[in-house]
Amino acid sequence: MLKRIGVVGCGNISDIYLTNLTVMFNKQVEVTALTDLKPDRAEKASAKYNVHYIKNTSDLINSPQTDIILNITEPNSHYKVALETVNAGKHIYGEKPLCATREEALEVLKIAEKNKLLVGNAPDTFLGAGIQTCRKIIDEGQIGKPVAAVAFMVNHGHESWHPGPEFYYKNGGGPMFDMGPYYLTALITLMGPITRVSGSAKKSFDKRTITSEPLNGKVIDVDVPTHIAGVMDFASGAAGTIITSFDVYSHTLPCIEIYGSEGSLRVPDPNTFGGKVFISRFREEKWTEAPLLSNYSENSRGLGLADMADAISTGRSHRASGELAYHVLEVMHGFHDASASGTYYNVKSSCRQPEPMIQTG
């Protein structure tokens, strides 16, 4: 039976969700309603996708025509929508981060568990062909035991291209909370949970000037760190390094590389579903491109939601889970906390590695 989806938020990211949910994943889900605080955006999406527009968010959440709420609001609204959803007895799938704070996220997860509801969360790019091919390579032992990893997400922010970039520099934003979920989720998928972190976080510029339309020329205050360098200890014993930054104009860094006891693996951009995978075995001088082993190499946003809908129907565990999203959230806060305190942050949560989409053997 199709799970009925109510969409809260019709902003920049909604178009690809609605496109994929109504076409690519229409055997798992049916989008039955949508809403947005800006009526013009909701009306436009309603007409384009032939989906019922409900003006009030609470009415949509409580509608008998919705089973799962897709929460793609701005980060500071994630908690409010998620809390109302689980209190209403509905499953919730949200954009990243799970909530702005650990306390908010734990409250949502606690109520969901009490009400026997599933919580799912972006990113779901780790379910795509690129990361899943890497997972199979590691699971089959092609690079031996992973001993270390590096991850780099560096650019100069969103103010030159995004139509409304201000929230990226407010609480719940910044390079770690905006893009860190993609990189950390990929690393946890490939390496397992993280037990301890340290970090250095700084704000390089107090103000930014928007150069994109329609807000070209507006000066915005920066309230969050915009360059974070972190070190991670994995439960497996491996060590990792991550840098996320909105302060870098150009670079020659890889997205992610995994170093094993018998070789190295170059992981594609975790903000994509595909990309190129390269492997270098012990004593080999060249990197060899590995073929992708999954159909989901194009932009497949909504794959995690479709997987959760199937999990609800079949009673199995879903992959883009609230447990995973909370672990990522705590790790991200841990980098900031470690920087502020000058000490290590011991991660209290853990999670299971998500089940691979591609089976070994």
Side-chain angles (χ1 to χ4, degrees):
M1 182 177 178
L2 294 178
K3 295 302 176 184
R4 298 165 298 179
I5 309 299
V7 179
V8 180
C10 298
N12 204 46
I13 196 69
S14 66
D15 196 54
I16 188 62
Y17 269 108
L18 288 165
T19 296
N20 289 344
L21 294 177
T22 55
V23 179
M24 187 183 298
F25 303 116
N26 62 4
K27 293 183 179 179
Q28 290 85 19
V29 301
E30 176 187 8
V31 182
T32 55
L34 56 78
T35 192
D36 193 277
L37 292 177
K38 297 181 178 180
D40 58 325
R41 295 201 305 199
E43 289 168 358
K44 182 179 179 181
S46 173
K48 181 177 181 179
Y49 295 100
N50 192 28
V51 175
H52 180 50
Y53 166 39
I54 297 177
K55 293 182 179 180
N56 184 275
T57 299
S58 294
D59 290 343
L60 180 144
I61 290 173
N62 289 283
S63 168
Q65 300 304 312
T66 59
D67 303 310
I68 305 171
I69 301 303
L70 171 59
N71 180 13
I72 45 178
T73 56
E74 292 185 357
N76 281 334
S77 297
H78 288 182
Y79 166 67
K80 180 181 178 181
V81 173
L83 185 65
E84 184 173 359
T85 298
V86 293
N87 276 322
K90 302 291 180 71
H91 306 284
I92 180 80
Y93 186 95
E95 254 302 323
K96 46 75 186 172
L98 179 58
C99 291
T101 71
R102 286 160 286 193
E103 294 76 15
E104 291 173 346
L106 284 173
E107 184 180 2
V108 170
L109 292 172
K110 182 178 179 180
I111 295 172
E113 182 179 15
K114 177 183 176 182
N115 293 340
K116 298 181 180 180
L117 301 168
L118 294 190
V119 176
N121 213 77
D124 57 1
T125 46
F126 74 96
L127 299 175
I131 305 299
Q132 288 298 309
T133 297
C134 292
R135 174 67 181 268
K136 191 169 192 291
I137 287 171
I138 291 173
D139 286 353
E140 290 181 343
Q142 293 187 43
I143 63 167
K145 180 182 178 181
V147 297
V150 295
F152 302 100
M153 193 303 300
V154 294
N155 59 47
H156 215 271
H158 295 64
E159 63 268 28
S160 65
W161 63 270
H162 196 282
E166 189 166 4
F167 75 89
Y168 287 101
Y169 299 98
K170 303 301 179 184
N171 184 38
M176 180 57 71
F177 285 88
D178 175 43
M179 296 300 293
Y182 295 104
Y183 288 75
L184 291 168
T185 301
L187 286 169
I188 293 165
T189 296
L190 299 174
M191 307 274 287
I194 296 165
T195 58
R196 188 178 74 164
V197 302
S198 61
S200 180
K202 61 174 289 188
K203 178 175 64 174
S204 299
F205 309 101
D206 291 327
K207 297 182 182 295
R208 301 255 181 163
T209 301
I210 299 174
T211 58
S212 59
E213 298 298 339
L215 301 174
N216 188 10
K218 181 179 179 180
V219 177
I220 57 177
D221 292 323
V222 178
D223 297 336
V224 294
T226 51
H227 187 98
I228 299 93
V231 175
M232 301 160 283
D233 294 339
F234 290 86
S236 65
T241 304
I242 185 170
I243 295 177
T244 65
S245 180
F246 285 164
D247 299 339
V248 176
Y249 280 110
S250 60
H251 64 90
T252 57
L253 298 166
C255 290
I256 297 175
E257 288 185 352
I258 309 293
Y259 308 120
S261 59
E262 297 178 21
S264 299
L265 179 66
R266 185 174 298 161
V267 181
D269 184 350
N271 191 21
T272 66
F273 286 80
K276 293 184 177 182
V277 174
F278 293 92
I279 185 171
S280 176
R281 294 277 296 162
F282 178 60
R283 291 183 177 174
E284 290 179 354
E285 295 183 2
K286 294 182 179 180
W287 292 86
T288 302
E289 185 174 353
L292 298 184
L293 304 174
S294 168
N295 295 326
Y296 297 110
S297 60
E298 302 301 321
N299 192 336
S300 304
R301 259 185 181 81
L303 177 56
L305 175 55
D307 179 71
M308 188 175 91
D310 180 72
I312 293 169
S313 297
T314 60
R316 64 171 175 83
S317 298
H318 60 303
R319 294 174 172 88
S321 67
E323 176 192 50
L324 172 61
Y326 180 77
H327 187 56
V328 168
L329 179 68
E330 188 187 2
V331 168
M332 293 192 298
H333 275 290
F335 292 126
H336 289 76
D337 289 354
S339 178
S341 66
T343 62
Y344 284 103
Y345 174 85
N346 292 306
V347 182
K348 299 176 180 64
S349 66
S350 187
C351 68
R352 295 168 295 174
Q353 279 183 280
E355 286 295 318
M357 299 282 282
I358 305 169
Q359 299 301 319
T360 58

